[in-house]
Amino acid sequence: MQIVIYIYNGMTMLDAIGPYEVLLSKVDITFVAKKKGEITADSKFAHLNAKHDINEIKKADILLIPGSTVGFVREINDKKVLKWIKKIDETTQKTVTVCTGSIILSATGLLKEKEATSHWKTIEMLSKFGAIPRRGRIVEDGKFITSAGVSAGIDMALYLVKLLRGERAAKAAQLIIEYDPNPMFESGNYSTAKSDIRKLAEKKLMKDAIKDLSLWEIIGNYIV
């Protein structure tokens, strides 16, 4: 089983590493980027090393695309990356995304007229590329599995293990990482979070995103 995780500058680290920890057992996981070398996360503190570039990877059983705060905007405007994703998707059993990774996937046209989810802040961008936005932790439509923001990638990966190896294997993977969520606050879901918490979260996201003004101007054209 070959799993390819596409990484890029500005990605959210947990979007890739959360699923990686779940899927690690008995599979070949490859981190690939547009160019080999160091990839810097949106936090600017964490880094991953891409040992392969997209020209070297021709197929995958599973393709995973992580999201980002705003870095995904570069990816949806990169024709070379989008062409590569479409090419790899022709070979996959499942193509999966975390957070705004679904926006990147939708930009290829592969999610046209398919249901998908994303981070609550950007989910409506999916419709710009012909996808059907659905709020949900995990949304499956055919071979495509999309998951909501950041931490949802862990749930998506466990669901993927269940599909591929069965429920017992998924439960074992969950125990290995001791994934037993018991959140301190009931504010992790957009539909149930109070309005003042939503506003505070949106303010924080805008503050982080606006650090890259060039990308902020582009994303504004999609979400206005």
Side-chain angles (χ1 to χ4, degrees):
M1 174 69 66
Q2 182 183 26
I3 298 176
V4 171
I5 302 178
Y6 176 67
I7 58 177
Y8 55 94
N9 285 317
M11 56 167 277
T12 300
M13 189 62 69
L14 187 60
D15 284 14
I17 298 303
Y20 170 83
E21 291 291 343
V22 174
L23 300 167
L24 189 56
S25 178
K26 296 181 181 179
V27 297
D28 175 18
I29 300 180
T30 302
F31 289 102
V32 59
K34 186 176 180 180
K35 296 180 180 179
K36 293 180 184 179
E38 187 176 85
I39 297 298
T40 304
D42 51 8
S43 66
K44 305 297 184 184
F45 295 109
H47 309 275
L48 281 176
N49 182 36
K51 294 184 178 180
H52 301 275
D53 64 48
I54 58 177
N55 295 315
E56 297 176 298
I57 305 300
K58 308 296 184 182
K59 61 181 181 178
D61 296 303
I62 307 293
L63 173 63
L64 189 153
I65 306 171
S68 54
T69 304
V70 70
F72 70 92
V73 178
R74 289 192 188 91
E75 308 308 306
I76 67 176
N77 286 283
D78 192 320
K79 293 182 179 179
K80 183 177 180 180
V81 169
L82 299 182
K83 182 178 179 181
W84 175 79
I85 290 173
K86 291 184 70 174
K87 187 73 173 179
I88 296 298
D89 177 73
E90 293 177 359
T91 72
T92 65
Q93 296 179 34
K94 299 289 182 182
T95 298
V96 303
T97 68
V98 183
C99 195
T100 53
S102 61
I103 309 297
I104 299 173
L105 183 59
S106 68
T108 67
L110 290 170
L111 292 182
K112 188 174 182 180
E113 298 182 353
K114 295 186 178 295
E115 295 185 348
T117 191
S118 190
H119 190 278
W120 56 265
K121 180 61 177 175
T122 55
I123 190 169
E124 294 305 325
M125 287 182 66
L126 288 166
S127 62
K128 300 286 186 179
F129 300 104
I132 304 168
R134 290 286 183 265
R135 291 196 184 275
R137 190 76 171 166
I138 301 169
V139 173
E140 183 177 16
D141 194 330
K143 69 182 286 186
F144 302 105
I145 304 174
T146 56
S147 57
V150 193
S151 64
I154 296 174
D155 295 314
M156 182 276 294
L158 288 169
Y159 179 69
L160 187 57
V161 173
K162 178 184 175 182
L163 290 179
L164 297 174
R165 296 183 185 158
E167 187 172 317
R168 282 171 54 83
K171 288 180 175 178
Q174 181 176 347
L175 180 57
I176 288 170
I177 64 170
E178 204 165 354
Y179 181 55
D180 186 23
N182 183 24
M184 185 176 296
F185 307 110
E186 294 296 328
S187 61
N189 189 300
Y190 183 81
S191 63
T192 57
K194 293 183 178 179
S195 60
D196 63 319
I197 300 301
R198 291 182 187 179
K199 290 178 182 178
L200 182 61
E202 288 177 348
K203 183 178 180 180
K204 176 65 167 61
L205 285 170
M206 288 184 68
K207 183 178 180 181
D208 291 342
I210 208 166
K211 291 176 182 177
D212 194 326
L213 291 176
S214 61
L215 290 182
W216 179 248
E217 291 171 357
I218 296 172
I219 195 174
N221 294 327
Y222 287 101
I223 62 177
V224 170

